[in-house]
Structure formats: structure tokens, C-alpha cells
Amino acid sequence: MIRNGKKIAAYMGAGLVGVALLVVSAHSMLSWQAQRTAEADLKASAQLMLDRASHASLSAIAALDRLTQNTGLSCTTDHRFLFSDTTRALPWVDTIGLVDRNGNLVCTDIGQSSRQSGLLPQYQANAPAVSLSLSGAQVDKLSLLVVRHISNGRRLVARVPGELLELDPVRNDLRRYRTAMLSLGKNAPLYLHEPMQPSQDVAVSVREKSGFLPFEASVSIPSAALEASVAGEKKIINLFGTLLGIIALAVGYMMGRYRPDEGDRILDALDNGEFEAYLQPIIDLKSGRINGCEVLARWNRLGGGAIMPYEFIPTAERFDLTDEITTAIFEDARDLLAPIIADEVDFKISFNLFSSQLANDAILTDIKAVFDDSGIGYNNLVFEISDRVPLNDTAQAKYIIKEIQSLGAQIAIDDVGAGHSGLYNLTEIQVDILKLDKILVDSLKQGLVGAEVVNSLIDLACNLDIGVVAEGVETEEQLEHLKKLGVSTAQGYLFSPALPGKSFVELVLASRGGAVKKVSSDEAVEPLAQEVADTEDETSQAA
């Protein structure tokens, strides 16, 4: 058994979970912040794209408005010079021309040789005075046409090359992932910037519109862009998290190893072999012989001093260590009693089980692990279930009991008369032995009432073919009462307290060697009482 293993593992696991939560939270916060920052940056980029297109358009509109102040604009040399001067004054416009009502380009600032049919749609009377349209066949070679109506369907047109409007203001670390487009309206892209690493998912997308011109700018990036933008920071967090994890493991180990609680002290005691089996003889009242024993747990500290069961059992139950203590007592009793069983095959060894041990199959595994292929047969074993503690899961307890009995062992109900459910357990569980509690034995001196209660239980046991053992027999008077009522097996301080293993074995071997002779039922217990008196000094601490 690894000392404090469960506690160490719990502390170390809690530390790792805490560090993992911290790292995951830091990653989540970083990703959230990166997304917010990216969204704000993309909005600013989209707005810059709109501002550039709007500024170019408004500049061209203002220039065309100034030209319309000249009356009778035509393709004369003077008017074309006006077009040329205006063009040179505008950084955005590369040419200005005149379009007739049918939409044909009549002339430009560079001459009448620049005629072009169908440049604009045919003029409609309800058309706005100023309009914007696109010219060109490919997205990367489009130009923006700014149109101003003069009179009678004749219009001035200023061409703004698309390359002068193009802008890619997205920050450098996102640029290879971004998709950016400026369009005239929803379905007329003026230019499009595609990503170097195409992706189907979209993590952040923004769409901005001009307040008074029909421009729309949209910019989007995939999740990969966000991950790339915080990759360096996440590496630092992961490194920091790894260091914290190592620290958490070390601290968890130290806390679990060097801050023991009551459960740890029990584990230490198990490791050190401080839990020992003490054995109280069970006497055949007819022959006076020791025909069995009840195995009890004692905690004898290495440094001196003993801890009684009523002190350590609640702690063991609280820390779920009852199985470990039970197994240790099983093993100690097996090693002590195997020589006795070899000489007396009918010798019975009784062990107490916790009610919690009847709630799962682990006790079956422990019994088989200890007694399979040992010198002790299952027919020598009795497992006692206390009547003081109710069974929480009767169906599971019945299954465990049936499995134990199928091995050949017997089941006894302990503390009958002191608990709350003994008779009910008799209806639910098939038992082999009733152990009358000291309370019932003490009630015999109350006269007829006490004797009737005990007699009723004995009659019930006989009718059900169940054995009876009286516990806590302390006086000759109690012994005589029990024999008159037909009780043939008993244990108690009148015969012997619970003895350390070595003392018990010596007592049994001495009784077999002839120190205890067969006597009548009235005298059966006297030789045993004398033997116990001879070893009183050795066994006084066991009481």
C-alpha cells in the first residue's frame, strides 16, 4: 500500500486541475480579446476604404459641378481645355468627357478620338443629377465613373481609375488571411483583396456603409488569423502553465505527504502492522472446550499505547478504510489459526463485517484473496453482521450474503437484542447463527420476563434451525440460566477476554494437551476459567 497515496493523488490532481483551468481561462480571455481587437481593427480598415472612395468621388463631383457653371459645354477646343485643366487639378481623375443623351462618349479632355458607344445608359428624365457607375470587364481593372447631368440629357463624366481607390489597411499580421472588398452597392465590387491562405470559416466579419454615397466595404478573417495573432502569447501562457503545473505537482505531493490527517495515521499503522487480531474464545458449554473464537481488531501503536475499536472504527468508516483494516485482520487471524484448524476441522472463526461492506462486491474479492488456498476452509468461517446498524441496500446485502454462503461460510446476526432490525433481518436474510447481545444476557437476572424473552428467541432459532451463541457472559448465575434455557455455546469475560493471538493459541493448545478434561455440563467451564487465570497477567491489557 502506498502511504497517503490517495491524498497525495488528490492534492496533485487538484493542483493540475487548477493550473489547467487557469491556462484554459487565460487562452479564452486572450482569444476573446484578440477577437474584439480584430473586430475593431477591421471596422477601422473598412472605414478607411470607404473614406478613400468617398473622398475621391466627392472631389470629382465638386469638379464637375464647377464645370457645369460654364454654359453650353461642348467638344470645342476651349471646352476640352477646361476638361483638361480640371483633370490636372484632381489627383483622383485621369480623364473627363462629354456623353450624349444616348450614353455615347462624344469627346474627352484628350480629344474627339476618344469616342465610345454605350459608355452610360440612355438618359432618363427622372434620373438623378449625379450618379456613380462602374466601367470595365474585370474586377481588378474597373474604374469608377462619376456622372453629372448638364442639360437635355447631356452629361459630364469623370473617370477615377480603380487602382487609385484601392486600399488595404488591414494590419500586417492579419493581411495574409483577410478578405476585403469595396463595392458600389451590394453586388458591384470595385476591388477585391483575396487571402493568401484561403479558408472556409469566418471568425470575424464586418460590413460598413457610406453615410451618403452607395459604397459598402466588407472585411473578414478566419479563425486561423486569430490564432496566428495570439500564437506568441499563447506559447508564453503554455510555458508559464507548465511551470505552474510542475509547482502544483510538487506542492500537492508535499501537502499530501507531510500534512497527515487521521486517515493517513491509519494508513501508516496498516503499513507498520499495528493492527492485530485479538481472539475471544467461544465455548461449547456441554464439553467445556474452545470450539471457536471471535476475531476482534486492536490497534497497538509501535511507540506504546492501544487504541480501542470504538475510537478508530468511526475514523476508518469516514475515510473509507474499513476494507483495508478488515483485510489486515483476516490475514493476521489466518496466519495464527491455520495450525489450530489443521488439528480441529470443526473450529469456527467469526469475523465482524461492516454494513458498508455489504454494499459492494469488494468484500467477496478480499475474502477469496485471503482464504483461497489457505489452511483454513470456508466451512470454518463465520461472518457476523451487526443488528445495531440497518442495511441501506437490502437487495445488495442479500446478494453478498448468498455469495459468502455459497463459498461454504456461515452468516451470523450479531448484537441481537441491542439493535433495531434483527427479527426483520431474519425475514429478509438467510442466517445460520443468532448471537444474543449482552443486554439480553444481563436481562436474565430480571427474573421471568428476561428469561421469557431469551427463551422465545431460542425457540425461534430452533424452529428455523439456526444456531445460538450467547455473548457477554460474566457470571456463574448467567451461565446457569443459559444452560437451563438450552444455550449450548457462549463467550464472555467469565471464560476469557479477547486475547492477543499468541496467548490465544497457547490457551487452545494447552486445552488440547489435556489441561482441560471432558467434564459434565455443570462443570464444563471450570477448567477453562483456571487456565485463563494462569495467563491473566499476559492478557490483562487486551480487556
Side-chain angles (χ1 to χ4, degrees):
M1 182 184 300
I2 300 175
R3 187 178 302 172
N4 304 336
K6 291 182 179 179
K7 187 175 180 183
I8 291 172
Y11 275 115
M12 294 173 72
L16 286 180
V17 169
V19 171
L21 289 175
L22 183 63
V23 171
V24 170
S25 298
H27 278 201
S28 298
M29 182 65 70
L30 189 62
S31 297
W32 175 78
Q33 184 60 43
Q35 184 169 358
R36 288 192 59 189
T37 302
E39 185 174 358
D41 289 345
L42 295 188
K43 283 185 177 181
S45 298
Q47 191 60 52
L48 288 173
M49 293 163 63
L50 290 175
D51 290 345
R52 187 178 184 91
S54 298
H55 180 65
S57 300
L58 291 176
S59 298
I61 292 171
L64 295 181
D65 282 342
R66 288 193 295 272
L67 285 174
T68 58
Q69 295 176 6
N70 296 282
T71 59
L73 286 174
S74 64
C75 290
T76 63
T77 301
D78 293 340
H79 287 168
R80 283 190 286 110
F81 277 134
L82 285 177
F83 298 165
S84 180
D85 290 341
T86 303
T87 299
R88 287 195 297 270
L90 295 174
W92 305 103
V93 177
D94 67 346
T95 184
I96 295 177
L98 184 65
V99 177
D100 60 21
R101 64 180 303 108
N102 294 321
N104 300 318
L105 180 63
V106 179
C107 64
T108 67
D109 57 329
I110 60 176
Q112 294 184 355
S113 60
S114 303
R115 292 175 179 268
Q116 181 179 341
S117 300
L119 178 64
L120 298 177
Q122 189 173 3
Y123 178 73
Q124 302 292 329
N126 58 352
V130 177
S131 63
L132 301 177
S133 64
L134 298 180
S135 174
Q138 299 179 3
V139 174
D140 58 347
K141 295 182 179 180
L142 292 178
S143 296
L144 176 65
L145 300 181
V146 180
V147 182
R148 175 69 164 87
H149 180 250
I150 304 173
S151 63
N152 299 323
R154 292 184 310 131
R155 289 158 285 182
L156 286 175
V157 58
R159 186 177 69 180
V160 180
E163 60 267 21
L164 296 181
L165 297 177
E166 284 191 26
L167 183 65
D168 192 4
V170 177
R171 70 177 198 241
N172 292 335
D173 60 327
L174 301 179
R175 189 166 295 168
R176 62 186 303 173
Y177 303 94
R178 58 86 185 93
T179 299
M181 182 176 69
L182 179 69
S183 60
L184 188 64
K186 292 184 178 179
N187 301 313
L190 182 57
Y191 63 83
L192 173 66
H193 295 305
E194 295 184 301
M196 295 175 61
Q197 297 181 348
S199 176
Q200 297 296 322
D201 77 299
V202 176
V204 181
S205 178
V206 298
R207 180 179 291 271
E208 298 290 318
K209 294 182 179 181
S210 175
F212 45 88
L213 292 174
F215 290 116
E216 290 189 8
S218 61
V219 188
S220 64
I221 55 172
S223 301
L226 291 179
E227 288 299 317
S229 68
V230 294
E233 291 85 348
K234 284 191 174 182
K235 286 182 179 179
I236 295 174
I237 291 175
N238 290 339
L239 178 60
F240 184 66
T242 300
L243 294 175
L244 277 182
I246 294 172
I247 294 172
L249 288 174
V251 172
Y253 178 82
M254 297 296 291
M255 291 180 68
R257 178 63 183 83
Y258 295 107
R259 299 180 64 178
D261 54 23
E262 292 175 325
D264 296 325
R265 282 188 279 274
I266 290 179
L267 288 173
D268 289 342
L270 287 165
D271 289 344
N272 296 329
E274 296 177 15
F275 283 94
E276 300 179 23
Y278 272 49
L279 305 102
Q280 186 172 37
I282 297 177
I283 310 302
D284 183 340
L285 299 183
K286 292 182 180 181
S287 66
R289 291 181 63 84
I290 302 173
N291 66 352
C293 65
E294 180 177 352
V295 181
L296 304 171
R298 294 292 186 268
W299 182 356
N300 295 320
R301 291 180 171 177
L302 291 180
I307 301 176
M308 299 304 290
Y310 67 83
E311 296 181 80
F312 67 76
I313 285 178
T315 302
E317 290 180 318
R318 188 166 69 253
F319 287 92
D320 195 24
L321 295 173
T322 54
D323 288 348
E324 287 83 351
I325 293 176
T326 300
T327 300
I329 298 303
F330 281 172
E331 293 172 345
D332 194 19
R334 175 200 62 195
D335 298 339
L336 286 168
L337 299 175
I340 294 176
I341 298 296
D343 294 335
E344 188 171 342
V345 295
D346 293 331
F347 196 89
K348 298 293 184 181
I349 308 169
S350 295
F351 294 98
N352 292 281
L353 296 182
F354 296 90
S355 61
S356 60
Q357 291 176 315
L358 299 178
N360 61 70
D361 298 347
I363 187 62
L364 296 174
T365 304
D366 293 340
I367 291 172
K368 293 176 182 178
V370 175
F371 295 106
D372 273 355
D373 301 322
S374 70
I376 298 176
Y378 286 112
N379 60 305
N380 298 113
L381 302 178
V382 178
F383 294 96
E384 300 183 11
I385 303 167
S386 177
D387 187 44
R388 297 176 185 271
V389 181
L391 301 175
N392 294 326
D393 188 344
T394 305
Q396 177 68 8
K398 288 170 66 176
Y399 166 75
I400 299 295
I401 289 170
K402 184 176 179 181
E403 290 295 308
I404 291 175
Q405 290 173 324
S406 70
L407 296 173
Q410 292 182 310
I411 296 295
I413 294 183
D414 195 15
D415 307 317
V416 173
H420 308 285
S421 56
L423 295 180
Y424 173 75
N425 282 338
L426 283 176
T427 66
E428 289 292 312
I429 300 172
Q430 181 180 353
V431 300
D432 304 291
I433 299 170
L434 288 184
K435 300 195 72 172
L436 304 182
D437 190 76
K438 184 178 183 298
I439 291 176
L440 289 179
V441 175
D442 290 342
S443 72
L444 292 174
K445 63 184 178 183
Q446 297 177 6
L448 183 61
V449 174
E452 284 297 323
V453 172
V454 175
N455 191 50
S456 297
L457 288 172
I458 294 172
D459 288 343
L460 176 62
C462 289
N463 291 333
L464 296 176
D465 194 23
I466 296 174
V468 176
V469 178
E471 296 183 297
V473 180
E474 296 181 345
T475 67
E476 294 285 349
E477 182 183 1
Q478 291 173 339
L479 177 62
E480 293 302 320
H481 272 293
L482 290 169
K483 288 192 290 187
K484 289 178 182 179
L485 292 173
V487 176
S488 60
T489 309
Q491 65 186 89
Y493 273 44
L494 177 63
F495 313 112
S496 171
L499 301 174
K502 182 179 179 181
S503 299
F504 177 82
V505 171
E506 290 175 353
L507 177 63
V508 174
L509 295 178
S511 69
R512 291 178 179 177
V516 179
K517 62 181 180 179
K518 287 190 176 181
V519 293
S520 66
S521 60
D522 291 338
E523 300 172 340
V525 300
E526 294 178 5
L528 178 62
Q530 181 61 45
E531 290 182 41
V532 172
D534 293 340
T535 58
E536 187 175 13
D537 291 340
E538 182 181 0
T539 62
S540 60
Q541 289 187 349

